[in-house]
Short mmCIF file of all heavy atoms in Angstrom, two decimals:
data_model
loop_
_atom_site.label_atom_id
_atom_site.label_comp_id
_atom_site.label_asym_id
_atom_site.label_seq_id
_atom_site.Cartn_x
_atom_site.Cartn_y
_atom_site.Cartn_z
N ARG V 1 38.63 8.96 -16.39
CA ARG V 1 38.99 9.90 -15.15
C ARG V 1 38.24 9.26 -13.87
O ARG V 1 38.97 9.23 -12.84
CB ARG V 1 38.42 11.29 -15.47
CG ARG V 1 38.95 12.30 -14.40
CD ARG V 1 38.78 13.72 -14.88
NE ARG V 1 37.38 14.02 -15.22
CZ ARG V 1 36.64 14.85 -14.30
NH1 ARG V 1 37.15 15.13 -13.25
NH2 ARG V 1 35.43 15.15 -14.60
N LEU V 2 37.01 8.91 -14.00
CA LEU V 2 36.43 8.34 -12.82
C LEU V 2 37.16 7.01 -12.36
O LEU V 2 37.43 6.77 -11.24
CB LEU V 2 34.96 7.98 -13.15
CG LEU V 2 34.19 7.17 -12.02
CD1 LEU V 2 34.01 7.99 -10.83
CD2 LEU V 2 32.78 6.83 -12.59
N ALA V 3 37.45 6.15 -13.42
CA ALA V 3 38.12 4.83 -13.01
C ALA V 3 39.44 5.15 -12.36
O ALA V 3 39.81 4.42 -11.36
CB ALA V 3 38.26 3.91 -14.34
N GLY V 4 40.22 6.02 -12.92
CA GLY V 4 41.51 6.31 -12.30
C GLY V 4 41.42 6.90 -10.96
O GLY V 4 42.23 6.60 -10.00
N TYR V 5 40.37 7.70 -10.75
CA TYR V 5 40.23 8.33 -9.40
C TYR V 5 39.80 7.31 -8.38
O TYR V 5 40.39 7.30 -7.39
CB TYR V 5 39.19 9.39 -9.49
CG TYR V 5 38.82 10.05 -8.19
CD1 TYR V 5 39.87 10.85 -7.55
CD2 TYR V 5 37.53 9.96 -7.64
CE1 TYR V 5 39.52 11.37 -6.31
CE2 TYR V 5 37.21 10.54 -6.44
CZ TYR V 5 38.23 11.32 -5.74
OH TYR V 5 37.93 11.86 -4.50
N LEU V 6 38.89 6.47 -8.68
CA LEU V 6 38.46 5.40 -7.79
C LEU V 6 39.62 4.46 -7.46
O LEU V 6 39.79 3.94 -6.35
CB LEU V 6 37.30 4.59 -8.45
CG LEU V 6 35.95 5.39 -8.49
CD1 LEU V 6 34.95 4.45 -9.10
CD2 LEU V 6 35.48 5.83 -7.10
N GLU V 7 40.53 4.14 -8.41
CA GLU V 7 41.61 3.34 -8.29
C GLU V 7 42.63 3.92 -7.27
O GLU V 7 43.41 3.16 -6.52
CB GLU V 7 42.35 3.07 -9.62
CG GLU V 7 43.64 2.19 -9.53
CD GLU V 7 43.31 0.78 -9.30
OE1 GLU V 7 42.16 0.30 -9.52
OE2 GLU V 7 44.24 0.07 -8.84
N SER V 8 42.59 5.23 -7.21
CA SER V 8 43.60 5.90 -6.32
C SER V 8 43.18 6.03 -4.88
O SER V 8 43.93 6.46 -4.09
CB SER V 8 43.88 7.35 -6.86
OG SER V 8 42.75 8.18 -6.70
N ILE V 9 41.88 5.73 -4.48
CA ILE V 9 41.34 5.90 -3.21
C ILE V 9 41.56 4.69 -2.39
O ILE V 9 41.19 3.58 -2.81
CB ILE V 9 39.91 6.31 -3.31
CG1 ILE V 9 39.58 7.52 -4.08
CG2 ILE V 9 39.35 6.41 -1.88
CD1 ILE V 9 38.08 7.84 -4.35
N SER V 10 42.24 4.81 -1.24
CA SER V 10 42.66 3.66 -0.49
C SER V 10 41.41 2.87 0.07
O SER V 10 41.55 1.70 0.40
CB SER V 10 43.60 4.11 0.71
OG SER V 10 44.73 4.67 0.16
N VAL V 11 40.30 3.49 0.38
CA VAL V 11 39.21 2.96 0.93
C VAL V 11 38.47 1.97 -0.04
O VAL V 11 37.73 1.19 0.40
CB VAL V 11 38.17 4.00 1.41
CG1 VAL V 11 37.53 4.75 0.28
CG2 VAL V 11 37.25 3.48 2.41
N VAL V 12 38.79 2.08 -1.30
CA VAL V 12 38.17 1.33 -2.36
C VAL V 12 38.93 0.05 -2.64
O VAL V 12 40.12 0.19 -3.12
CB VAL V 12 37.87 2.10 -3.63
CG1 VAL V 12 37.33 1.21 -4.70
CG2 VAL V 12 37.07 3.36 -3.43
N LYS V 13 38.42 -1.13 -2.38
CA LYS V 13 39.14 -2.30 -2.65
C LYS V 13 38.81 -2.99 -4.09
O LYS V 13 39.67 -3.44 -4.75
CB LYS V 13 38.66 -3.46 -1.67
CG LYS V 13 39.10 -3.28 -0.30
CD LYS V 13 38.79 -4.38 0.62
CE LYS V 13 39.42 -5.62 0.28
NZ LYS V 13 39.04 -6.67 1.27
N ARG V 14 37.56 -2.72 -4.55
CA ARG V 14 37.25 -3.20 -5.80
C ARG V 14 35.94 -2.43 -6.35
O ARG V 14 35.10 -1.94 -5.67
CB ARG V 14 36.80 -4.72 -5.66
CG ARG V 14 36.63 -5.52 -6.96
CD ARG V 14 36.69 -7.00 -6.59
NE ARG V 14 35.58 -7.36 -5.61
CZ ARG V 14 34.62 -8.27 -5.86
NH1 ARG V 14 34.44 -8.69 -7.09
NH2 ARG V 14 33.87 -8.50 -4.89
N VAL V 15 36.04 -2.23 -7.78
CA VAL V 15 35.00 -1.57 -8.40
C VAL V 15 34.26 -2.53 -9.39
O VAL V 15 34.99 -3.16 -10.30
CB VAL V 15 35.49 -0.40 -9.29
CG1 VAL V 15 34.38 0.33 -10.06
CG2 VAL V 15 36.22 0.57 -8.36
N ILE V 16 32.97 -2.71 -9.28
CA ILE V 16 32.26 -3.65 -10.08
C ILE V 16 31.18 -2.90 -10.87
O ILE V 16 30.19 -2.43 -10.37
CB ILE V 16 31.45 -4.69 -9.14
CG1 ILE V 16 32.52 -5.36 -8.19
CG2 ILE V 16 30.79 -5.74 -10.07
CD1 ILE V 16 31.83 -6.15 -7.12
N PRO V 17 31.38 -2.73 -12.21
CA PRO V 17 30.32 -1.98 -13.06
C PRO V 17 29.13 -2.87 -13.09
O PRO V 17 29.21 -4.06 -13.27
CB PRO V 17 31.07 -1.92 -14.41
CG PRO V 17 32.50 -2.15 -14.18
CD PRO V 17 32.57 -3.04 -12.99
N ILE V 18 27.94 -2.18 -12.97
CA ILE V 18 26.71 -2.89 -12.93
C ILE V 18 25.88 -2.50 -14.15
O ILE V 18 25.32 -3.38 -14.90
CB ILE V 18 25.85 -2.51 -11.66
CG1 ILE V 18 26.57 -2.94 -10.35
CG2 ILE V 18 24.42 -3.21 -11.59
CD1 ILE V 18 26.98 -4.47 -10.29
N ALA V 19 25.74 -1.33 -14.45
CA ALA V 19 24.81 -0.88 -15.62
C ALA V 19 25.27 0.52 -16.01
O ALA V 19 25.59 1.42 -15.24
CB ALA V 19 23.32 -0.88 -15.21
N ALA V 20 25.19 0.81 -17.29
CA ALA V 20 25.42 2.18 -17.88
C ALA V 20 24.18 2.57 -18.67
O ALA V 20 23.65 1.84 -19.37
CB ALA V 20 26.67 2.16 -18.80
N THR V 21 23.68 3.78 -18.29
CA THR V 21 22.54 4.30 -18.94
C THR V 21 22.78 5.78 -19.41
O THR V 21 23.84 6.32 -18.98
CB THR V 21 21.31 4.39 -17.89
OG1 THR V 21 21.69 5.35 -16.87
CG2 THR V 21 21.11 3.06 -17.27
N PRO V 22 21.93 6.29 -20.16
CA PRO V 22 22.21 7.76 -20.55
C PRO V 22 22.28 8.66 -19.30
O PRO V 22 22.84 9.77 -19.40
CB PRO V 22 20.96 8.13 -21.34
CG PRO V 22 20.61 6.77 -21.99
CD PRO V 22 20.78 5.81 -20.92
N ALA V 23 21.65 8.32 -18.22
CA ALA V 23 21.59 9.08 -17.03
C ALA V 23 22.91 9.09 -16.28
O ALA V 23 23.29 9.97 -15.45
CB ALA V 23 20.46 8.73 -16.16
N GLY V 24 23.59 7.88 -16.39
CA GLY V 24 24.80 7.75 -15.53
C GLY V 24 25.29 6.28 -15.54
O GLY V 24 24.90 5.46 -16.32
N LEU V 25 26.09 6.04 -14.51
CA LEU V 25 26.78 4.70 -14.40
C LEU V 25 26.35 4.16 -12.97
O LEU V 25 26.54 4.82 -11.97
CB LEU V 25 28.27 4.86 -14.49
CG LEU V 25 29.13 3.61 -14.42
CD1 LEU V 25 28.79 2.69 -15.54
CD2 LEU V 25 30.63 3.97 -14.47
N ASP V 26 25.99 2.81 -12.86
CA ASP V 26 25.74 2.22 -11.60
C ASP V 26 26.94 1.23 -11.45
O ASP V 26 27.44 0.48 -12.17
CB ASP V 26 24.50 1.39 -11.66
CG ASP V 26 23.22 2.23 -11.78
OD1 ASP V 26 23.36 3.40 -11.63
OD2 ASP V 26 22.13 1.66 -11.94
N LEU V 27 27.47 1.49 -10.19
CA LEU V 27 28.65 0.65 -9.67
C LEU V 27 28.44 0.00 -8.36
O LEU V 27 27.61 0.62 -7.54
CB LEU V 27 29.87 1.58 -9.53
CG LEU V 27 30.34 2.36 -10.84
CD1 LEU V 27 31.47 3.39 -10.31
CD2 LEU V 27 30.83 1.45 -11.89
N ASP V 28 29.06 -1.11 -8.11
CA ASP V 28 29.21 -1.70 -6.74
C ASP V 28 30.52 -1.48 -6.26
O ASP V 28 31.43 -1.91 -7.01
CB ASP V 28 28.73 -3.18 -6.67
CG ASP V 28 27.25 -3.35 -6.58
OD1 ASP V 28 26.50 -2.41 -6.42
OD2 ASP V 28 26.81 -4.57 -6.73
N LEU V 29 30.72 -0.80 -5.17
CA LEU V 29 32.05 -0.48 -4.60
C LEU V 29 32.28 -1.36 -3.38
O LEU V 29 31.50 -1.26 -2.45
CB LEU V 29 32.24 0.96 -4.26
CG LEU V 29 32.07 2.01 -5.35
CD1 LEU V 29 32.33 3.33 -4.92
CD2 LEU V 29 32.96 1.70 -6.60
N GLU V 30 33.40 -2.19 -3.41
CA GLU V 30 33.73 -2.84 -2.21
C GLU V 30 34.66 -1.91 -1.41
O GLU V 30 35.75 -1.52 -1.84
CB GLU V 30 34.45 -4.18 -2.61
CG GLU V 30 34.81 -5.02 -1.21
CD GLU V 30 35.37 -6.31 -1.60
OE1 GLU V 30 35.58 -6.61 -2.78
OE2 GLU V 30 35.85 -7.00 -0.61
N LEU V 31 34.20 -1.54 -0.24
CA LEU V 31 34.95 -0.47 0.59
C LEU V 31 35.49 -1.12 1.76
O LEU V 31 34.74 -1.97 2.54
CB LEU V 31 33.95 0.64 0.96
CG LEU V 31 33.29 1.30 -0.26
CD1 LEU V 31 32.30 2.37 0.23
CD2 LEU V 31 34.26 1.90 -1.25
N VAL V 32 36.65 -0.68 2.33
CA VAL V 32 37.20 -1.19 3.63
C VAL V 32 36.44 -0.44 4.77
O VAL V 32 36.64 -0.75 5.93
CB VAL V 32 38.71 -0.91 3.63
CG1 VAL V 32 39.42 -1.66 2.40
CG2 VAL V 32 39.08 0.52 3.57
N SER V 33 35.81 0.65 4.33
CA SER V 33 35.07 1.45 5.27
C SER V 33 33.63 1.76 4.74
O SER V 33 33.48 1.43 3.67
CB SER V 33 35.82 2.72 5.67
OG SER V 33 35.18 3.41 6.68
N GLY V 34 32.84 2.45 5.61
CA GLY V 34 31.41 2.60 5.05
C GLY V 34 31.41 3.64 3.95
O GLY V 34 32.35 4.41 3.67
N VAL V 35 30.27 3.62 3.30
CA VAL V 35 30.00 4.64 2.15
C VAL V 35 29.98 6.07 2.66
O VAL V 35 30.29 6.95 1.92
CB VAL V 35 28.77 4.16 1.47
CG1 VAL V 35 27.42 4.63 2.20
CG2 VAL V 35 28.66 4.94 0.09
N ALA V 36 29.61 6.25 3.82
CA ALA V 36 29.57 7.66 4.42
C ALA V 36 31.07 8.21 4.53
O ALA V 36 31.29 9.35 4.14
CB ALA V 36 28.82 7.68 5.77
N ASN V 37 31.95 7.30 4.90
CA ASN V 37 33.35 7.71 4.93
C ASN V 37 34.01 7.92 3.54
O ASN V 37 34.65 8.90 3.35
CB ASN V 37 34.23 6.64 5.68
CG ASN V 37 33.97 6.61 7.22
OD1 ASN V 37 33.60 7.64 7.79
ND2 ASN V 37 34.18 5.51 7.78
N PHE V 38 33.44 7.10 2.55
CA PHE V 38 33.88 7.27 1.19
C PHE V 38 33.43 8.57 0.78
O PHE V 38 34.15 9.49 -0.01
CB PHE V 38 33.34 6.13 0.31
CG PHE V 38 33.35 6.31 -1.11
CD1 PHE V 38 34.68 6.06 -1.68
CD2 PHE V 38 32.37 6.64 -1.86
CE1 PHE V 38 34.72 6.30 -3.18
CE2 PHE V 38 32.41 6.86 -3.20
CZ PHE V 38 33.63 6.65 -3.88
N ALA V 39 32.10 8.91 0.95
CA ALA V 39 31.49 10.18 0.50
C ALA V 39 32.22 11.37 1.05
O ALA V 39 32.47 12.36 0.39
CB ALA V 39 30.04 10.18 0.84
N ARG V 40 32.58 11.26 2.40
CA ARG V 40 33.30 12.36 3.04
C ARG V 40 34.63 12.65 2.36
O ARG V 40 35.09 13.74 2.18
CB ARG V 40 33.51 11.99 4.52
CG ARG V 40 34.04 13.06 5.42
CD ARG V 40 34.18 12.68 6.76
NE ARG V 40 32.92 12.32 7.46
CZ ARG V 40 32.62 11.09 7.91
NH1 ARG V 40 33.48 10.14 7.78
NH2 ARG V 40 31.38 10.85 8.45
N TYR V 41 35.42 11.50 1.91
CA TYR V 41 36.59 11.65 1.25
C TYR V 41 36.43 12.33 -0.14
O TYR V 41 37.21 13.23 -0.49
CB TYR V 41 37.25 10.29 1.19
CG TYR V 41 38.71 10.28 0.50
CD1 TYR V 41 39.83 10.66 1.18
CD2 TYR V 41 38.75 10.17 -0.96
CE1 TYR V 41 40.94 10.72 0.60
CE2 TYR V 41 39.97 10.12 -1.54
CZ TYR V 41 41.14 10.45 -0.75
OH TYR V 41 42.36 10.47 -1.36
N VAL V 42 35.56 11.77 -0.90
CA VAL V 42 35.50 12.21 -2.32
C VAL V 42 34.92 13.68 -2.34
O VAL V 42 35.21 14.46 -3.34
CB VAL V 42 34.60 11.24 -3.28
CG1 VAL V 42 35.22 9.94 -3.25
CG2 VAL V 42 33.08 11.30 -2.77
N ASN V 43 34.13 14.12 -1.37
CA ASN V 43 33.63 15.44 -1.35
C ASN V 43 34.66 16.52 -1.29
O ASN V 43 34.40 17.64 -1.64
CB ASN V 43 32.54 15.64 -0.23
CG ASN V 43 31.18 14.95 -0.53
OD1 ASN V 43 30.85 14.60 -1.62
ND2 ASN V 43 30.49 14.85 0.52
N ARG V 44 35.87 16.16 -0.82
CA ARG V 44 36.97 17.11 -0.73
C ARG V 44 37.90 16.93 -1.98
O ARG V 44 38.97 17.75 -2.08
CB ARG V 44 37.68 16.93 0.50
CG ARG V 44 38.55 15.71 0.62
CD ARG V 44 39.15 15.52 1.90
NE ARG V 44 40.23 14.37 1.91
CZ ARG V 44 40.83 14.00 3.02
NH1 ARG V 44 40.70 14.62 4.15
NH2 ARG V 44 41.67 13.02 2.88
N GLY V 45 37.68 15.99 -2.82
CA GLY V 45 38.64 15.74 -3.92
C GLY V 45 38.39 16.51 -5.19
O GLY V 45 39.39 16.49 -5.95
#
């Protein structure tokens, strides 16, 4: 569900998995805009 959602967001150019732990998932996101704009978008989704 997360992978499909990130794929649908125009601001996201590329998703790079870094590490998976019991606490969660670490990713590097290549964004066409800043992470603050990305956060503003996903907060309404």
Side-chain angles (χ1 to χ4, degrees):
R1 186 162 65 98
L2 172 64
Y5 178 62
L6 293 177
E7 179 70 22
S8 72
I9 301 176
S10 300
V11 73
V12 179
K13 290 182 66 177
R14 190 163 55 118
V15 179
I16 308 167
I18 300 300
T21 68
L25 181 65
D26 291 348
L27 305 170
D28 277 352
L29 300 182
E30 184 178 355
L31 305 176
V32 302
S33 181
V35 71
N37 288 336
F38 169 76
R40 189 178 297 119
Y41 180 87
V42 301
N43 281 346
R44 69 184 189 183

